[in-house]
Amino acid sequence: MTRTRFGALVAATMIVVAACGGSSATPGPSAASSAAPSSAASTAASTAPSTAPSTAASAAAGTPKDGGTLVAGLPGDMVLADPSLVSDSNSSEIETQVIQGLVGLKPGTNSQLIPVLATALPTVSADGLTYTFTLRQGVKFHDGTDFNADAVVYNYMRQLNAPKSLQNDYNYYFGAVFGFGADSNLASVTATDPSTVVFKLKTPQSNFLLATTLPQFGIQSPTALKAGDADNPDPSKSPYAQGQGGTGKSMVGTGPFMFKEWVPNDHVTLVKNPNYWDTANAAHLDAITFKPYADQTAELNALQAGDIDWAQTISPTDVKTVQSDASLQAIDRGQSCNEFHLSLNNADKPFDNLQIRQAIGYALNKQSYIDAFYAGMAKPADNFMPPATEYYKPLNLPTYDPAKAKSLIASSGVPASELNLTFYYPSDVSRPYMPDPKGLAEAIANDLQAVGFTITFKTEGWRTGYLSDSSVGKFPMDLLGWTCDWAGPDNFLVTDLFYFNGSKPNPQFNYGPADLKAAFDAGIAATSDAAAQQAWGTAQDILARDLPIIPILNSTPPAAAAAYVQGFVGSGNLEEQFNTTWLNK
Amino acid sequence: MAKYIVRRILSAIPVLFGLSIVLFSFIHLLPGDPAAALLGQHATPELTAKIRQQLGLDQPLYVQYLQYLTQLLHGDLGKSVINNRPVITDFATRFPGTVELTLAALLFAVGIGIPLGRFAARHTQGWQDGVVTVISLFGISIPIFVLGLTLQYVLSVQLHWLPTSGRLDPRTTIPSVTNFMLIDTLLAGRPDAFVDALRHLILPAIALGSIPLAIITRITRASVLDVNNEDYVRTARAKGLTERRVDDRHIMRNAWLPVVTVIGLQVGGLLAGAVITETVFSWNGVGRWVVEAIQDHDYFVVQSSILIFAFIFLAVNLIVDIGYAYLNPRIRYA
Amino acid sequence: MTATATPARRAAPARASRGLWRDALVRLTRNGPALLGMFFIVVFVLAAVLAPVISPYDPIAGSLANRLQAPGTAGHVLGTDLQGRDELTRILYGARISLQVGVISVLMGLAIGGTLGAIAGAFGGAVDNVIMRIVDVLLAIPGILLAIGIVAWLDRGLPQIMLAVGMTNAPIFARILRGSLLALRESDFVVAARSIGATPLRLLLRHMLPNALTSLIVAATLALATAIIDVAGLGFLGLGPPDPRTAEWGTMLTDSTKYLREAPYLIFFPGVAIVISAIGFNLLGDGLRESLDPRLRR
């Protein structure tokens, strides 16, 4: 029993820490208030799918053919078969094929809302506190039971009142977006009739809709959840969360694909839902098998050898190889929805000195990293969030100028003894925003040495300490980044980087002046688009003024597939739907 | 004989016991507080204290060790702290993969090594011996991962002759009964999948088998040469028997004992080699599992799996020794 | 790990040590493969020692603008690596690391294993029993797992890697030395020395150790080959030196697998360096065994 409990906590650490593959800040129950409003939804034009320069599968002509199995390579295994309990990108990618929410993101976009299980986007009261959804009728879960307003209420209530152990360790996104129980910003969810659900909030929260597009807020069959003991405080004892029993017993949603089986560390198989409610968008594929791979090289090897049909991410430097192979195609994902930065702990010397931080900014030749490690598939960052984010503005951050870096170091008055920097990099991972952390760390160190710093390298395993140690501020300087959940400034500036826990800034950077907190608070309190624009603009100006960390670049991580894979629509958050995908063979 | 076997089994007990102490101390000497390390960013002092208490980490070390030992003796190997599954469950699903791979590698090494060694011994004066010597020299000098990556890149990625990794084509689903792919595919009545599983086995088996191949080749050659100089072989030749007959009837019969011994000795090396081979070929076996567990600081998996590895190693040694004693009675009384 | 699994034959030298060594040397110089092995080793050692003299380039600092120049480019015989550093320079400096790690790890193994084996073999009895059970425990853990465990436990770094690889060899050395010593205890000249009143320590140091050393030298030479392979293997598993700039062959090779398609030569050259130096020590080890093992005298 004690062991189980221990395991649960650890598993949760791993999950949370792996959330969205970035420096997952855990804002805790108070996060609801720091999740800032963003009217991204209303400005979908800025994130419309780009016309991809390279081969985009979606561009393929021809009438889709039905049938076949797609074998898809992912960078890791599913964690649990219940999306409400996971926050890692692999589980989300698989579960979003099966479980749907009331609203979703338009395929290919990061912030354009479309109704899914609702017939339309909800009506919102003038005070921004009441959201009323009208639900689709005649939709059935994969176990044959009816989707209706009671099911929606059940799903939200089970997370709102989740057992304490699940709150602490599993229901990360629900906690981050709403908070739990009496502390939640969610006042009530009620079914006024079988096809109408009313959400009441305590304070306005305009990221509400964007957040609920995540698979973590998907609607699952209450019958199956109950039968599979999905709310067991220890998910290892829940047949539902463990993926036991197959279709209709675990991971039971309404989507175009249905869960079939999960063999841990080996594969997850989904099969076509023959009775999908949205017949026009029913799946073409008979089945998808997701396979975990240790690294991008293994994934590409498998793709080239024909073992898999689709690879979620390949190293950008391999795109050339893929393009030169007629049997393969590289898939561009359009606009970047990530950021990669050099973290500096502002409580440590010499990073408490603004001129030193600026000197580091001037020392880094960002473009050379992009050419060497991203094959050009990235842009130097001029902000703490990617350009496609709502309220983004260029900040004129330092660009490569080693002479200026040297003179800043000289005028900083920092003694030479403090110019020896301890630099952490993750040893065993590649992420969409950093395909080769080791190579990048070496190149960055080289640039820093060139202007007068000396570097001592330290490393830790990604899962075995790097993320957790970094997030509590144990590292003076390290490499990290973030793939967005949705393209709002709150998701980058607050959740990812500079959230406050009460009045205490994120311990990772120990940076958080009062005016930044005021700007965030103003963004949160804003009820109009103009007010939000101004608040987020101020926040960005403050960050540019203080340069607490060094943003490096925003990348567009490529996917790759066999040439016969057609109809796939990529998006920057890397959580794509496969219902439009078909095999031309 | 029975007495000898009992004595050998008894002598393995202190080794396993000592190993349990070594592993236990190893785990507890890992730097940092396991509870805090495992909690990561959730680590508040209260929570850490609670976890320490739940784990029994607040108990004196000897108490913790006795608890651990008691569990072991009850067959409880603990649970993974990463995925919360019982160690024995994961071990049971993954171990057949390693056995399959190891046996295939051994089969490759023996199947090629013995004929190659005999061939070299028959041609000590010719260039053939030189070629075989060079092959076996390369066999022990190439790291498994270099050979594995090369085979994988050339034969799978470039030439598409064989699959790159895994144990079965992901498009094929076979019910897991024994977790031995070659058996499960046949049980499922899928000869095509059996062939596919066999094809997946080839490259890893060659990479893993390269070192035993080299060693078996050398030993076979040396021991055939030793026997070659014995009087009875010369007599046989003098009688005018054909070289083939001399080889089969007289030489190999007497030369195989050291060869068999060496084959037995390879098992430890194969288990160690499986660790790297399984990493290269994404092979779902215990080797990769243990490496991941060590890197993840998955305490109970590390403790228990290494103990199981050692147990297997000792068991195989025991079987080899007993077999050897059975064949060569002088050993027993030595 | 397994290259030393060839059972090292117990030397049972019956002659005084000086004659043995002289004979052995003569035989060694007539052994073609051993000479080839020595040649590889000499090249390897020279590369290690003279790296800064041979190469005008910095093995650590590079320039991304200069990266991935193909082999044969003017000034870069073996091309440049991912950071724009001269690959030949990195291979030469890599020989330094490999030699250093190989030799020190084997010496550590000899120190630990040799001491245990000497005590066990010299005293026998209960001491022997206890020590050999410890050795059994160590031998029961597959070598690479032991090494991974030590590096995971003591954190990453060259000294830790040396200790890890040394520890995998220690029990093997202990066994070999103990075996030789036990055989020698009953040999005529030791019995004779004991009968004229030699102290146990003198007996061990003056009479038994020098004679038992032969098989240990063979094992140590072969262990150098495995040490180089094991260090590379740790690098492959991501447990190489923490400074990614370190020119360690296994790490160089592993880091380049990401760029296999762009620059296959970055895998080829370190791979060849590892294999050739391992071959060198394997050939020399075999040659030494043949030269030192009196049973092979004809």
Side-chain angles (χ1 to χ4, degrees), chain A residues 138-142 254-256 258 272-279 282:
Chain A
V139 175
K140 285 197 186 304
F141 288 111
H142 299 150
T254 55
M258 309 189 293
K272 178 176 180 163
N273 175 2
N275 306 313
Y276 185 49
W277 58 268
D278 186 2
T279 42

Side-chain angles (χ1 to χ4, degrees), chain B residues 78-291:
Chain B
K79 275 185 180 181
S80 160
V81 296
I82 301 289
N83 60 28
N84 222 3
R85 284 192 289 269
V87 171
I88 195 73
T89 310
D90 273 14
F91 182 83
T93 54
R94 283 165 164 250
F95 187 56
T98 302
V99 173
E100 209 166 60
L101 172 62
T102 311
L103 287 181
L106 201 58
L107 201 67
F108 164 74
V110 171
I112 309 274
I114 291 182
L116 213 56
R118 292 174 68 177
F119 175 74
R122 214 178 301 144
H123 300 279
T124 37
Q125 305 306 320
W127 53 268
Q128 295 96 327
D129 185 33
V131 170
V132 172
T133 308
V134 169
I135 291 175
S136 73
L137 185 62
F138 269 96
I140 52 167
S141 302
I142 297 186
I144 291 177
F145 67 92
V146 174
L147 182 61
L149 288 170
T150 312
L151 290 172
Q152 192 180 51
Y153 186 67
V154 175
L155 298 183
S156 320
V157 177
Q158 290 299 322
L159 296 173
H160 295 234
W161 287 357
L162 291 165
T164 50
S165 56
R167 296 178 64 195
L168 197 66
D169 189 298
R171 293 168 192 82
T172 318
T173 42
I174 295 290
S176 307
V177 183
T178 62
N179 284 312
F180 287 94
M181 235 13 129
L182 293 179
I183 298 176
D184 283 358
T185 49
L186 289 180
L187 288 179
R190 293 282 303 271
D192 57 317
F194 175 81
V195 172
D196 183 50
L198 212 54
R199 281 161 46 83
H200 277 82
L201 201 47
I202 294 175
L203 292 185
I206 293 177
L208 179 57
S210 64
I211 293 172
L213 168 70
I215 293 169
I216 289 169
T217 305
R218 283 172 155 216
I219 289 293
T220 309
R221 176 183 174 277
S223 104
V224 167
L225 284 180
D226 269 357
V227 178
N228 238 338
N229 292 321
E230 299 286 344
D231 294 340
Y232 58 85
V233 174
R234 285 192 212 139
T235 313
R237 284 215 178 86
K239 279 198 300 187
L241 291 182
T242 60
E243 200 52 35
R244 188 183 190 86
R245 218 177 145 75
V246 174
D247 228 32
D248 292 343
R249 276 290 177 83
H250 296 278
I251 298 184
M252 273 326 281
R253 279 211 178 161
N254 293 289
W256 67 273
L257 200 62
V259 176
V260 169
T261 313
V262 163
I263 292 173
L265 287 173
Q266 295 314 304
V267 172
L270 282 170
L271 285 178
V275 170
I276 289 185
T277 313
E278 290 177 6
T279 307
V280 173
F281 291 97
S282 310
W283 191 268
N284 203 11
V286 284
R288 194 155 65 104
W289 181 54
V290 178
V291 174

